[in-house]
């Protein structure tokens, strides 16, 4: 990885991945891009930024040529809840955008990291210890695009030798940039509301178990997979990874250790509850552990402690 392009770099994961990669490879080696304009004072100051709509292939071509890109972290996407509100847009961005990136990668021999998701599974998938290879019949448009994306990336590897790699991310918890329209967003919102108002109304049922991961582990996973020995990768697109599975009630309980008068209420959103109910409770990530040494650093306890410390600083709460 000598010259890296990130698409969707202003999103929840991209905003942190940009800084992480710049620290590792150098500011000028990592080109951030997004369809949104960059905001001064946030990312993009310490390195190059390009406006790229991933549906506009010439915009990607021109950045790949201009900066002699050899690796793309393709993060531009529409997430699960936003996808159900506009399935046509989700299909276009998630599939046509990926196709554009893969075609350019084929021509310019770039490696490509594309995240899949727990959403690539559906109600007929085994819910507990969900295997690396199992039934994938998702019922959301987002999930459909994730399965299609996994297969398309495999195809480009086998047919054209494009070095495609990916993980199935669980819900990501972070403090820098708010999540962008997913079903697991409650696990970020709860921290802001708990610190600001000592209460939160959760849109998922208290017993909904989902895989979750703190952002430092997600960044580590993306980079470790891209730096892994190619010959050891049996799955490529995409590896199950998880850090911990918990319910809203369990997260609220952990937050209460720091904010004892925190109150959690529930007002279930049927659309997001149905999405969450269609996803696994907990993935089996042994393939990632065996093939490229995946191992998370943060469990529920460590993540909650760090989130509260970091958000207190961000929100200037004593
Ligand atoms: P996000 O919604 O926070 O960010 C996505 C970014 O893509 C946004 O900044 C948006 O402006 C940009 N974008 C949208 N349409 C675009 C287009 N046409 N061209 C260029 N950019 C466009 O999403 P995220 O949470 O950062 O997710 C990044 C990737 O990780 C996605 O593929 C997502 O499916 C995957 N993922 C995320 C999570 C999670 O919990 N955050 C979990 C599993 C998988
Ligand atoms: N966090 C994502 C979502 O809820 C999972 O891919 O859409």
């Amino acid at each position: 990885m000598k010259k890296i392009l990130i698409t969707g770099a202003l999103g929840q994961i991209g905003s942190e991945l940009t800084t992480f990669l710049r620290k590792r490879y150098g500011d000028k080696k990592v080109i951030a891009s997004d369809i949104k304009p960059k905001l001064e004072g946030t990312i993009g100051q310490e390195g190059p930024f390009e406006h790229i709509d991933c549906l506009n292939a010439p915009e990607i071509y021109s950045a790949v040529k201009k900066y002699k890109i050899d690796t793309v972290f393709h993060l531009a996407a529409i997430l699960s809840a936003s996808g159900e509100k506009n399935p046509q847009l989700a299909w276009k961005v998630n599939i046509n955008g990926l196709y554009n990136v893969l075609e350019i990668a084929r021509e310019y021999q770039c490696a490509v990291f594309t995240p899949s998701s727990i959403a690539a599974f559906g109600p007929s998938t085994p819910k507990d210890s969900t295997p690396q290879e199992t039934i994938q019949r998702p019922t959301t448009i987002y999930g459909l695009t994730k399965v299609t994306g996994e297969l398309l990336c495999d195809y480009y590897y086998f047919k054209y030798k494009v070095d495609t790699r990916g993980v199935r991310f669980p819900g990501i918890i972070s403090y820098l940039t708010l999540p962008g329209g997913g079903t697991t967003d409650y696990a970020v919102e709860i921290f802001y509301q708990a610190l600001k108002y000592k209460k939160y109304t959760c849109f998922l049922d208290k017993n909904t178990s989902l895989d979750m991961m703190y952002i430092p582990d997600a960044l580590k996973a993306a980079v470790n997979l891209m730096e892994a020995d190619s010959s050891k990768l049996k799955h490529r697109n995409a590896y199950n990874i998880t850090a911990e599975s918990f319910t809203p009630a369990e997260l609220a309980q952990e937050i209460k250790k720091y904010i004892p008068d925190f109150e959690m209420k529930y007002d279930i959103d049927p659309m997001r509850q149905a999405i969450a109910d269609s996803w696994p409770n907990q993935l089996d990530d042994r393939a990632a552990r065996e093939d490229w040494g995946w191992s998370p650093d943060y469990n529920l306890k460590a993540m909650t402690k760090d989130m509260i410390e970091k958000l207190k600083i961000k929100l200037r709460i004593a």
Side-chain angles (χ1 to χ4, degrees):
M1 289 196 277
K2 293 195 181 97
K3 269 293 186 78
I4 298 167
L5 174 67
I6 306 177
T7 69
L10 297 179
Q12 186 194 7
I13 299 175
S15 55
E16 304 225 21
L17 184 66
T18 301
T19 309
F20 187 79
L21 291 175
R22 282 180 176 160
K23 276 193 189 135
R24 198 171 178 93
Y25 299 105
D27 288 350
K28 297 220 168 81
K29 307 282 185 192
V30 179
I31 290 74
S33 77
D34 204 287
I35 194 170
K36 289 190 292 210
K38 90 172 174 185
L39 292 172
E40 293 304 330
T42 56
I43 71 136
Q45 290 236 315
E46 67 281 33
F49 180 88
E50 294 282 331
H51 175 276
I52 293 180
D53 175 356
C54 67
L55 295 178
N56 186 336
E59 286 185 3
I60 311 173
Y61 268 110
S62 121
V64 167
K65 273 197 285 192
K66 177 174 167 188
Y67 295 101
K68 298 190 172 47
I69 298 296
D70 62 31
T71 305
V72 182
F73 284 77
H74 178 50
L75 304 184
I78 305 295
L79 275 76
S80 59
S82 303
E84 286 313 295
K85 289 183 195 143
N86 192 342
Q88 293 74 14
L89 179 70
W91 182 265
K92 247 188 354 202
V93 173
N94 297 5
I95 297 301
N96 299 355
L98 174 60
Y99 173 79
N100 286 340
V101 167
L102 289 172
E103 271 298 286
I104 291 160
R106 175 174 72 81
E107 202 171 317
Y108 289 89
Q109 280 118 40
C110 302
V112 181
F113 174 82
T114 312
S116 183
S117 162
I118 48 173
F121 300 113
S124 51
T125 303
K127 274 197 162 314
D128 294 307
S129 294
T130 303
Q132 172 66 38
E133 296 208 13
T134 185
I135 300 162
Q136 288 186 267
R137 305 281 296 172
T139 46
T140 60
I141 191 71
Y142 175 66
L144 266 70
T145 66
K146 288 299 173 188
V147 177
T148 310
E150 290 182 10
L151 295 172
L152 197 58
C153 288
D154 276 349
Y155 185 82
Y156 271 73
Y157 173 68
F158 288 116
K159 178 92 177 170
Y160 300 119
K161 299 279 164 269
V162 176
D163 185 359
T164 54
R165 306 182 187 197
V167 292
R168 294 180 183 131
F169 275 138
I172 303 300
I173 297 163
S174 66
Y175 50 86
L176 182 68
T177 305
L178 285 167
T183 302
T184 56
D185 294 8
Y186 91 84
V188 178
E189 291 168 8
I190 189 174
F191 283 98
Y192 284 82
Q193 301 292 314
L195 281 166
K196 285 199 225 168
Y197 311 113
K198 298 187 180 357
K199 55 186 172 193
Y200 177 61
T201 304
C202 184
F203 57 78
L204 292 185
D205 179 78
K206 61 181 179 191
N207 294 321
T208 309
S209 279
L210 289 170
D211 283 293
M212 297 281 178
M213 182 175 292
Y214 196 31
I215 190 81
D217 279 331
L219 305 178
K220 182 175 88 162
V223 170
N224 286 1
L225 176 60
M226 291 309 281
E227 288 179 348
D229 177 351
S230 175
S231 67
K232 301 230 163 83
L233 302 180
K234 296 191 200 89
H235 300 279
R236 283 188 171 270
N237 306 290
Y239 279 95
N240 282 2
I241 55 167
T242 186
E244 187 150 23
S245 167
F246 54 77
T247 64
E250 287 164 344
L251 177 55
Q253 204 49 43
E254 197 58 36
I255 289 174
K256 262 175 167 293
K257 291 181 185 166
Y258 300 88
I259 309 169
D261 43 353
F262 171 59
E263 268 181 57
M264 179 90 143
K265 287 194 181 144
Y266 295 89
D267 181 11
I268 293 166
D269 169 17
M271 183 190 77
R272 286 180 285 185
Q273 186 64 48
I275 295 175
D277 288 343
S278 76
W279 292 349
N281 294 333
Q282 183 154 36
L283 302 186
D284 175 347
D285 62 3
R286 275 176 300 174
R289 288 172 186 266
E290 283 160 19
D291 291 4
W292 48 278
W294 160 246
S295 165
D297 295 324
Y298 290 86
N299 58 15
L300 171 61
K301 204 171 155 197
M303 177 276 292
T304 304
K305 180 174 183 291
D306 201 62
M307 266 299 276
I308 287 181
E309 280 169 16
K310 296 282 173 19
L311 265 186
K312 272 186 173 174
I313 297 168
K314 179 177 173 181
L315 301 173
R316 296 195 173 92
I317 293 171

